[in-house]
Each structure stands twice: as C-alpha cells, then as structure tokens.
Amino acid sequence: MNTRVSIQDVAQLAGVAVSTVSRVLNGYRDVSEETRAKVQRAVEQLGYRPNQAARTFRTGKTQSVSVILPMIGTDFYNRLINGIDQVLALHDYDAGLFPLLSPRRLERYRNPSAPPYNADGLILASLNPDRLFEGGQIPADLPTVLVDIAHTAYDSVTVDHIEGGYLAGKHLLERPAPTFVVMIEERFDTPFASGVFRERLKGFQRALEEDSVKLPKDHVITVEFSWDGGRLAAQEILRRLEGPANIFATCDLLAQGLIDEFAHKGIKVGGEVRLVGYDDQPWAEAYGLSTVKQPIESMGGLAANLLLKRIKRPPAEVIHRVLSPRLVVRESSRV
Amino acid sequence: MNTRVSIQDVAQLAGVAVSTVSRVLNGYRDVSEETRAKVQRAVEQLGYRPNQAARTFRTGKTQSVSVILPMIGTDFYNRLINGIDQVLALHDYDAGLFPLLSPRRLERYRNPSAPPYNADGLILASLNPDRLFEGGQIPADLPTVLVDIAHTAYDSVTVDHIEGGYLAGKHLLERPAPTFVVMIEERFDTPFASGVFRERLKGFQRALEEDSVKLPKDHVITVEFSWDGGRLAAQEILRRLEGPANIFATCDLLAQGLIDEFAHKGIKVGGEVRLVGYDDQPWAEAYGLSTVKQPIESMGGLAANLLLKRIKRPPAEVIHRVLSPRLVVRESSRV
DNA sequence: TTGAAAGCGCTAACAG
DNA sequence: CTGTTAGCGCTTTCAA
C-alpha cells in the first residue's frame, strides 16, 4: 500500500511539478520555504517513500558499498565495520556485508553479477584478491579498497605490524630476560592468510637486534590460533626455564591462554614473567594484559573515505595508507 | 566499460529486437534455436551483463531477501545461513545479511528506507519484533518469516526446545543419580533474549516429573554464557557432592567448561559423572560430548521456502512450523 | 516466432 | 524559484 504512491501523487496533492518534489526530496536549496512545506506535508500525508530501485536506476548509484570479509562477529571486524559505517553515514552511504562463510558463497562471489558487485564500491577486508580470484582480478570492475592487507594494484589501508612487534620488543627489553615469542602457524592455502603474524615477529626481532639480543630459534613457539594454543605454549616455556622471562604473544587470545595456564601453575604474570599480547581484545584490560592496539576504527574510516573519493572521481594512482599501532602497558608487563 | 553495453547494443549486433534479446536472457522457450544462438553470441562478444538496477526497477523484484540476525560467525548462524542460502539459490534468490552489530545499526534499521527493507522479503532470526521495534511493527511492510523465535503475527520456524530438554532428561534418567542443570541467565532487556534456555530447562524438568524425580531448586545452577561459566558450575557441583551425578548443561559451551574443569580435578566425564549438552557444536564430537542437536539447516531452509511462498502470493493465515531436535549420545553420558 | 512500442519512477537539463 | 520534458534499460503487452 506504500509502493503504489509515487512522486506523481505527491506532486499532484501538493499542487507542484514532480521536479519540484524531487528537488525537495533531495535537499536542493533553491526551493522556497513555502513550497518545501507544502511538499513535505503531502509526503507525510500520503506516507510516500521514494522508490529506491527507480532512483538507483536513474542515477546509476546505489548509495551503498559492499564489504567482503572473512567473517563477522569478532572484535576486529566489529570495530572495522563500525569505523566504515560511521564514515559512510556521513555521506549517506550504506555498507552491505558479505562474509565468506562458506565455499559456496565464495564461489558465488566469483560471478560478476553477484550481489556484492551491485554497489558503488567495494571494500575487501583481510582478503587477498590474488588468492580469492583468478589472476587477482576482482570479477566486477568497480572502485575497490583493500583493508588489513596490501596489494600493488589496489588502494589499501593497513596497520604496520612490524612496528607493532617492534614496540612490544622495545618494551620488553627494558628488563632483559630470556625471551620467547608465541607464534601462529599461518597456512598458505587459505584466502585469509595475510602474513600479519610473521610481520609481528619480524618487528619484534628487529627490536632485539637493535640491542644485539639474540632470539634463539627454539624460543619461537608455534601453536594454533586458540586459547589452548596459549596454554600449550605456557607449558612449553615452563618446561624450559624457571625464573624471569619476557614473552611476546602475537595475539591476545594466545596471551590469555598463557595467563590462564601460568595462573594455574601458581605464577602470576607481571613481575618475573612479563607478557605482551597483540590486539587489545575487549577483555584485555580486565586481564591486565599489556598489548599492542591497532587503530581498527580509523582503518575502516580511512578505507571508507578513500573509497568514496574513488567513487566520486577515480584518481590516477594507487594509494597506500599505513597506520601505526600503539602499545598499551598494563600489569602483565610491569617489572 | 561494461555498464555502457545495453540490451540495445546486443539487439543491434544480433540483428534482432530488444524484446527478443530479453526473451533469450530470461530463458523463454518460444525463441528459435537460431536466434537464441545469434543473441548469445552477441552477448558474449560484447561482454554484456544486464543492468540489475533497471531490472529491479522494471519488475519491482530484487530477487533477494534480507536476513536480520544478532551476529554472524557462530556455528548456529553459519548453519542457519547455509540452510537459507541453499534453498534461495534454487529459486534464483540471494540473501542479504544484516547483523545487529551495534546499537547504531539497529537504529538505522528502524528507518523503513533502510537497506534491509530493500528486498522482496525478510527473515528475522532469533530476534523478537516486539523488542526490536515500536509496537512490534516491522518498519517496512514486506513478507516476513521469523526463525528461532515465534510470534502470533508472523510466520515462524522454530525448534522445540522443550522437547530437547525432555530428551536430555529421559536419557540421563536411565541411570538415576543426583541431578544438576546448568542454566544461563537470560536478561530481559536485550533484543536477543528469546527464552530458549528456560524452555530447555522446562522440558528437562518435565522428563523428571514423569518419573517422579525431584529437581531441587538449588540444583539449578545459573551462570554466565561462557566457558568460565561452565567451570564455575563444575566447581559448585563438586563442592556439593562426590560420587555419581547427572548433569544437563543447557548449552555446549557450558558443557565444555564443565568437562575441562572436571578433567582438571582428575574426573573424567562419562561413567560416574554423566553430562549432556545442547547445540552439537563442531567440537562436540571430538570432546565426546552427548548433546541435543537442532535441525538448524532445515530450519533455515524451511524459513526460506515459507518466505518465497509468501512472496509469490501472500497466503491467508500465519504459519508456524516447529521442528524436533534429536539427541546425540556420545562418551560423556555413557553409563 | 518475432518486432514495435509503452512505460515503470525518478532525476536533470533546459526554459521560463 | 518552478514547470516541462526527455530518457535511464528493461520487461511485457499487443500485433503481425
């Protein structure tokens, strides 16, 4: 009963031309207050709502951008989406979310007519086009920005994980002690493998090198991305040493496992055993976990801004923006 | 370079009328093989892809339905979406996903022009319209099906959690012993509170009542929805008794906490201490956890089917479908 | 089996 | 400041 009401009906009731109604609806300023009021009254009276399809058809703009990402519901992606949403809202844009939940979905997104490409622009989060699509070619040709991953052919916004690792390293070095890194094994065969953990390790090593501190190969403990992985790492470390230690967990989830397992063995983290995580998960503060915090919202916001710009007028060159993380010091790394 | 190619261009190159091209594109059968071939050749040659916006505009159909849900990425919602996707694909439909990630998003979805309502139909998962919207009125008036929750005014597909609890109860009763239920506290003030945990408890109690077994009030232990909640519950139970016990955890996550904490105290679940969970999480099998499994994919598929029917021709009355869960017996509840 | 043509609802020149 | 009007690309009668 609503779709039947068109701009024509509004014009008629308001006693003006359709173009005038259109102008009011789109917030043009060259309309007298009087007509504007008349039109708005008619709109409300009829319960008129613009036909979005007609608008899109006419303008060729959907006022929406698609975000393809591995999943939704983690702290990282929630924050990222919030950052994107916030900027888009300022420009009357919306974000359509397309998580790669199943292989079937990925398959469908290979089709250039798939819903994600039915938008004015595309944000690819944590996803490498080279791994996702044949030839690294995104099926549809529309303005694209990558987030959390870099690529020569596309605009990107990333966080400098090398710097993040470096910050953790410098901080732990304040009190020398046997040092361990707990790593995640990144498989190469998934579309999600972005190499961030290796970068974090690299930065950490760089910090140590600057101070001529050696990190023995077997002090890099590789486990699964899980709480249990952290616990296993803690056991491994305890097997190898007693007394002070510096530990860098390449993500907070691992750090949590470490803390819990240490607590279990009656060891409180912070003091003798110092620990720095990565991500600043929501619970990190309550855990007293020192950690590297990424500017995730900013990353999303920047990506959205870049994309909107590219939608307006495709710029000449590819743009890469790299953001700096910062270290949040809490109990777990106090001396 | 692709959007510029229209059906006109194809018609011209193929030497036919646009209406003929349209017919071929839409798979009508009253087209000679010869023209069909000509058209298809032209389509490929030009790399033509139909303008989706024009199509939607013309037909008034988007060939998509929106799914509003609390989040994405949990096993439950992944399976639900898969079930929905599968059925929709059969009918050339797509699902747009709209998770309620933040209050801002919910606020936006109160607007009848918001993206979710720009579809042919709507699926609301685990979300009660009464809590979500003023007066329980969905902002836009379009075919709607609820999933995982029931409502007098809308079609719905749900799982009978009372039956699920009942199954767990009957099973545990096979070997009488002091019995505990670990519950989740459901707050009333969130849009997500659906009351499923209370239903599970209710069914469980019903099973006990049938055999005249009493469940003391203080044998219902209420904790948070978390792994730690399960651990706390385990500690509580251990404090109160030694020897055999039957435990019903109203969700697998709690059950996992229980198992881990028991293991910790050197107690293997299965045998003396018997445990049944709920949900059949992906890891449940590896944990040897007996659990109640919901037909989630079927629920999604059914909802999609119902919605498609309602889109075709709005049926007269509200339809409610209730599915039965089933019990999966594994090590954790073996006698 | 095919073609001609109307028009979906809206925006954006262009005139006035 | 406001009205007139020409389509955007497609589907769908209606005729042939």
Side-chain angles (χ1 to χ4, degrees), chain B residues 132-162:
Chain B
L132 229 46
F133 306 111
E134 252 180 275
Q137 199 59 50
I138 292 168
D141 174 39
L142 76 176
T144 300
V145 174
L146 305 189
V147 154
D148 193 36
I149 202 165
H151 191 287
T152 49
Y154 301 99
D155 287 354
S156 71
V157 185
T158 53
V159 168
D160 190 340
H161 293 293
I162 296 183

Side-chain angles (χ1 to χ4, degrees), chain B residues 27-42:
Chain B
Y28 285 56
R29 27 18 184 318
D30 54 349
V31 180
S32 76
E33 263 321 307
E34 199 190 334
T35 14
R36 183 182 301 281
K38 264 196 301 189
V39 169
Q40 263 152 359
R41 214 175 313 125

Side-chain angles (χ1 to χ4, degrees), chain B residues 191-211:
Chain B
F192 315 143
S194 59
V196 294
F197 295 104
R198 272 188 300 276
E199 289 175 10
R200 294 168 191 185
L201 170 61
K202 195 175 180 182
F204 190 81
Q205 285 173 318
R206 181 169 304 170
L208 300 206
E209 277 162 22
E210 276 189 11
D211 284 27

Side-chain angles (χ1 to χ4, degrees), chain A residues 34-50:
Chain A
E34 199 190 332
T35 15
R36 183 183 301 280
K38 262 196 303 190
V39 169
Q40 262 151 1
R41 213 172 317 124
V43 163
E44 281 174 35
Q45 199 170 328
L46 295 172
Y48 167 75
R49 275 175 322 99

Side-chain angles (χ1 to χ4, degrees), chain B residues 33-171:
Chain B
E33 263 321 307
E34 199 190 334
T35 14
R36 183 182 301 281
K38 264 196 301 189
V39 169
Q40 263 152 359
R41 214 175 313 125
V43 163
E44 279 174 37
Q45 199 169 326
L46 295 172
Y48 167 75
R49 277 178 318 101
N51 179 328
Q52 202 44 56
R55 221 175 227 183
T56 297
F57 169 53
R58 177 57 230 243
T59 62
K61 289 266 163 274
T62 62
Q63 297 292 349
S64 80
V65 307
S66 298
V67 184
I68 302 187
L69 29 49
M71 75 202 78
I72 294 174
T74 65
D75 181 62
F76 181 88
Y77 291 111
N78 280 354
R79 287 175 59 195
L80 184 70
I81 291 165
N82 282 339
I84 293 171
D85 267 353
Q86 221 146 300
V87 168
L88 289 185
L90 260 38
H91 300 261
D92 256 311
Y93 260 80
D94 272 298
L97 270 19
F98 297 90
L100 248 38
L101 299 170
S102 63
R104 284 187 54 258
R105 280 201 156 230
L106 172 56
E107 202 43 61
R108 288 195 5 239
Y109 296 168
R110 297 235 161 85
N111 179 342
S113 297
Y117 312 118
N118 211 142
D120 300 345
L122 186 64
I123 292 179
L124 232 59
S126 312
L127 261 17
N128 188 338
D130 292 342
R131 297 231 179 74
L132 229 46
F133 306 111
E134 252 180 275
Q137 199 59 50
I138 292 168
D141 174 39
L142 76 176
T144 300
V145 174
L146 305 189
V147 154
D148 193 36
I149 202 165
H151 191 287
T152 49
Y154 301 99
D155 287 354
S156 71
V157 185
T158 53
V159 168
D160 190 340
H161 293 293
I162 296 183
E163 186 179 349
Y166 181 86
L167 290 172
K170 278 294 177 194
H171 174 61

Side-chain angles (χ1 to χ4, degrees), chain A residues 21-58:
Chain A
V21 178
S22 177
R23 276 189 277 262
V24 172
L25 257 32
N26 292 288
Y28 285 57
R29 11 66 157 303
D30 54 348
V31 181
S32 76
E33 264 321 309
E34 199 190 332
T35 15
R36 183 183 301 280
K38 262 196 303 190
V39 169
Q40 262 151 1
R41 213 172 317 124
V43 163
E44 281 174 35
Q45 199 170 328
L46 295 172
Y48 167 75
R49 275 175 322 99
N51 179 328
Q52 201 43 55
R55 221 175 226 182
T56 298
F57 169 53
R58 177 56 231 243

Side-chain angles (χ1 to χ4, degrees), chain A residues 218-272:
Chain A
D218 67 344
H219 276 214
V220 177
I221 299 163
T222 299
V223 295
E224 277 197 331
F225 181 78
S226 71
W227 180 80
D228 280 327
R231 291 175 60 194
L232 284 171
Q235 290 170 5
E236 179 73 24
I237 291 170
L238 284 170
R239 211 172 293 131
R240 304 238 216 115
L241 119 161
E242 37 197 290
N246 286 332
I247 307 172
F248 175 42
T250 50
C251 66
D252 281 356
L253 184 59
L254 292 182
Q256 189 179 42
L258 282 153
I259 290 177
D260 288 345
E261 186 67 16
F262 276 124
H264 213 42
K265 307 271 157 111
I267 298 167
K268 200 180 160 318
V269 170
E272 282 271 279

